[in-house]
């Protein structure tokens, strides 16, 4: 069965760092673009970044550019989100998801999602 399991969330102070992991199983990991999204209370789900299929090139949203980095290790079936210089505005539940699109920031084009991991950044 297809599974995406996020881990690595927690409570950090502003300026700190976290690395989130998403462990995938039950499908050919390298054939899918893997994306990261986040959702804060009262807000829509927001694209954070992704690593595409084929070559594994990565990209992030303008809101986190320069602070967050997406990477993937196909040998471990895992995609990572390295988050540095965290701000209170980054507080959200972070989700990983898969897509067959080469590039997309549209959550409707990600068809399978993990359960999410909470990231809380204090002032």
């Amino acid at each position: 069965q297809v599974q995406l399991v996020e881990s690595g969330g927690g409570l950090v102070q502003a300026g700190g760092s976290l690395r989130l992991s998403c462990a995938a199983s039950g499908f050919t990991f390298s054939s899918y673009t893997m994306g990261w999204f986040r959702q804060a209370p009262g807000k829509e789900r927001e694209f954070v970044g992704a690593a595409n299929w084929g070559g594994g090139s990565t990209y992030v949203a303008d809101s986190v550019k320069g602070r967050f980095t997406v990477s993937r290790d196909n040998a471990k079936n895992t995609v990572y989100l390295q988050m540095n210089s965290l701000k209170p505005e980054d507080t959200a539940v972070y989700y990983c998801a898969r897509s067959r699109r080469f590039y997309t920031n549209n959550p409707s084009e990600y068809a399978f999602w993990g359960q999410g991991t909470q990231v809380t950044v204090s002032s």
Side-chain angles (χ1 to χ4, degrees), residues 96-116:
C96 68
R98 75 173 194 182
S99 175
R100 295 192 68 186
R101 304 280 285 189
F102 186 73
Y103 167 83
T104 181
N105 61 5
N106 186 343
S108 69
E109 294 179 333
Y110 287 81
F112 195 88
W113 298 77
Q115 85 289 346

Side-chain angles (χ1 to χ4, degrees), residues 42-55:
K43 293 188 176 181
E44 295 183 344
R45 197 177 306 167
E46 177 188 19
F47 175 77
V48 177
N52 63 27
W53 61 261

Side-chain angles (χ1 to χ4, degrees), residues 13-30:
Q13 291 188 334
S17 297
L18 284 173
R19 187 179 73 167
L20 306 184
S21 299
C22 175
S25 60
F27 65 97
T28 303
F29 179 75
S30 60

